[in-house]
Amino acid sequence: MSSSSWALEVVRGRSIGRRYALAGPRATLGNSAESGGVNLSGEEGDGPRKMAARQAEIELAGAGLRIRDLDSPGGTFVNRKRLLPDQALALADGDVIQLGGVQLRVVHVGAAPQPAAPSPRGGTAASFAWEIAPGVVCRTWDEVLISSAQRWSTLREMLNRGMIDSFVRGIGRPDLAPPASGTPDRRLDSWIGRLPTTRPKEPILDAGGGKAIVVRVAPGGGRTRRTIPISNVGYRLLEVGARVVEGADWLEVVGDARTGKVEIIDSGSIDLEIIIPATLDRPRSGAIEIESNGGRARVELRLEASGAVNVEAISLGSGSREAAAPLGWSLAPHLRRIAGPVLGASARATAALGSSWLAGTSGVGPNLPATAIAFGCAAAIVGVAFGSKSRTEGGNRMVDAATAGAGSGLAGMAAGAVFVGFCRTIEPWLGSLASSWVAMVPLWALLGLAAAEASIRLLPPGAATVEGGDR
């Protein structure tokens, strides 16, 4: 018997029913054209669960096949059981291999057809031909089960329209009529659970992509979000809940996962909130315990200080990442409370002194052109100072300093004009106090403090958004 007598048929993927022939003594399975065997990149969907370029290897062993995992990140499953790295497992006709989000059924091309499984009420399960989608015809309940994993939304729509009920009654199986109450997903899940299949139907939990998650943050306080990717490699609806392992006070589970109400058909996620400490002199470790009706899992997390001012998360297996926080919002709350009043008072003093020196005005009232020039000069000095630092990075010091100074000066003039508008809007309410230094400087210091407090609440340090895949 040659290896050409065997094939892999897609039962979950973009082209259900397509067969990949095994034409050599060995074949590597993966999502790369350079994998040297079966390239499955065209079968992967948009979910977060992906296979590796070289995920597993199949070899001809006498008259049969054997498969082993190539130490892939997400793991290789056979009949819903995960292979150990480098473990060789014999395959039989009808076995189902899971690689990422793709499932392949082992097919012995020359084998005699297997007898249909008996149904609970006599007859056989292969007594119908049910087209659930164009070109997708199920002839056994096992095929209905396999198709449900890929076409859940299609079957849910058929359930809502009464097509499933009509079908089972039409083949003389009113006992398999779907339940009439509950949400559509719950009703479909209950119906699938009662099908007379030969394959197990239970959901199976696969969490975190198989490796620990490292979260790097800039210390200074605040919060950020993180997601743990969840996959259901079984067939029925997966119900997931999560909790933080005791001692990890910098972690919080948010959303429905806290109460175990997250329902996952194929793939989803659990949302976490990371509490950024004011100081992080050493890495912190923690874990999330995930419980479900398809098993339990423990996902390890590690919090580390980042050398940058933004928040960065390394996602292993999900393809998601956290967006960096703007530089201006990386300051710790206590530093903002100091910087706000200082900047407010300094800005008002600069406007008053600039108006007095450049425009000859009396009192503290700001003159628009003079204030704009004063702000522009101050900003240009700061820009030149920062631009000159490029000398240590291999740049041209004079060119970079001049460019930074010119750009900062123009921005400063625009800021000065805006600031005069604020002054003329706010200060008339003070009446005669508007001409007093004693009143103006404390007023703008208080306004600066109010702005700092607002920034702490609206844009906490290290704030970031999370991008993640979901079905």
Side-chain angles (χ1 to χ4, degrees):
M1 184 180 297
S2 67
S3 62
S4 61
S5 299
W6 295 89
L8 301 176
E9 181 179 332
V10 179
V11 294
R12 177 185 286 186
R14 291 188 178 275
S15 51
I16 294 179
R18 179 180 177 180
R19 290 188 176 184
Y20 293 86
L22 299 176
R26 283 185 174 82
T28 302
L29 310 181
N31 64 4
S32 171
E34 301 176 358
S35 60
V38 181
N39 177 18
L40 298 167
S41 60
E43 302 297 343
E44 292 191 297
D46 299 328
R49 188 173 174 83
K50 303 293 184 182
M51 70 182 76
R54 301 180 75 254
Q55 178 91 6
E57 182 180 71
I58 288 183
E59 62 177 341
L60 180 67
L65 298 176
R66 290 191 305 181
I67 185 172
R68 65 184 181 93
D69 179 66
L70 298 179
D71 196 18
S72 60
T76 300
F77 297 78
V78 176
N79 297 331
R80 307 192 305 171
K81 294 183 178 180
R82 187 168 185 164
L83 299 181
L84 298 175
D86 292 323
Q87 171 192 4
L89 180 69
L91 295 172
D93 183 43
D95 284 346
V96 175
I97 303 168
Q98 173 107 15
L99 309 166
V102 177
Q103 288 186 354
L104 306 167
R105 180 168 52 199
V106 178
V107 178
H108 185 193
V109 178
Q114 297 294 321
S119 68
R121 300 183 57 180
T124 66
S127 57
F128 59 82
W130 186 20
E131 186 174 11
I132 65 172
V136 180
V137 179
C138 298
R139 292 179 171 82
T140 68
W141 293 117
D142 280 0
E143 291 181 357
V144 173
L145 176 66
I146 292 172
S147 295
S148 70
Q150 179 68 20
R151 302 182 182 277
W152 184 278
S153 59
T154 299
L155 285 173
R156 181 174 56 203
E157 178 65 21
M158 296 176 71
L159 175 76
N160 289 334
R161 297 170 61 183
M163 297 172 66
I164 292 180
D165 185 79
S166 298
F167 170 74
V168 295
R169 294 183 186 279
I171 62 172
R173 295 299 307 268
D175 57 305
L176 294 181
S181 61
T183 66
D185 284 333
R186 289 283 188 176
R187 293 171 59 204
L188 182 58
D189 176 69
S190 177
W191 178 71
I192 291 174
R194 293 192 291 111
L195 294 181
T197 64
T198 61
R199 296 181 180 276
K201 299 181 284 289
E202 292 75 15
I204 297 180
L205 170 70
D206 184 36
K211 291 189 178 181
I213 296 174
V214 178
V215 183
R216 294 195 177 99
V217 299
R223 293 171 178 257
T224 186
R225 289 292 181 94
R226 182 78 181 112
T227 61
I228 296 177
I230 303 293
S231 294
N232 179 8
V233 296
Y235 294 104
R236 296 189 61 185
L237 199 62
L238 183 69
E239 301 169 15
V240 177
R243 66 178 183 87
V244 178
V245 174
E246 185 176 355
D249 56 357
W250 52 276
L251 272 175
E252 289 182 3
V253 177
V254 297
D256 292 338
R258 293 178 300 178
T259 57
K261 294 182 178 179
V262 175
E263 297 181 353
I264 296 177
I265 299 168
D266 182 11
S267 60
S269 63
I270 291 176
D271 295 328
L272 304 177
E273 192 158 89
I274 310 297
I275 304 171
I276 303 173
T279 59
L280 187 58
D281 54 354
R282 59 180 177 80
R284 298 189 183 185
S285 298
I288 300 295
E289 291 283 357
I290 302 173
E291 299 181 352
S292 74
N293 59 340
R296 303 178 64 179
R298 180 185 175 100
V299 179
E300 304 288 339
L301 294 100
R302 182 179 173 89
L303 186 68
E304 298 180 354
S306 172
V309 297
N310 63 340
V311 177
E312 177 185 349
I314 299 178
S315 170
L316 302 176
S318 68
S320 65
R321 64 182 179 87
E322 294 187 355
L327 175 62
W329 306 118
S330 63
L331 288 177
H334 69 281
L335 293 178
R336 296 194 203 181
R337 292 188 178 102
I338 296 173
V342 170
L343 290 175
S346 299
R348 188 60 184 88
T350 300
L353 294 174
S355 298
S356 176
W357 293 344
L358 299 176
T361 60
S362 60
V364 296
N367 176 271
L368 178 56
T371 300
I373 293 173
F375 272 58
C377 291
I381 293 172
V382 175
V384 168
F386 278 98
S388 64
K389 289 185 178 181
S390 64
R391 176 182 56 178
T392 61
E393 302 169 359
N396 185 302
R397 178 183 180 186
M398 295 185 63
V399 171
D400 290 340
T403 302
S408 299
L410 291 174
M413 293 180 68
V418 173
F419 186 74
V420 170
F422 278 114
C423 291
R424 293 178 177 177
T425 301
I426 296 172
E427 294 176 1
W429 291 89
L430 298 178
S432 60
L433 293 178
S435 60
S436 170
W437 277 89
V438 177
M440 286 301 97
V441 173
L443 169 65
W444 283 95
L446 289 174
L447 291 174
L449 178 60
E453 292 292 344
S455 74
I456 291 171
R457 285 160 176 73
L458 296 176
L459 292 170
T465 58
V466 176
E467 299 172 1
D470 199 356
R471 183 172 176 172

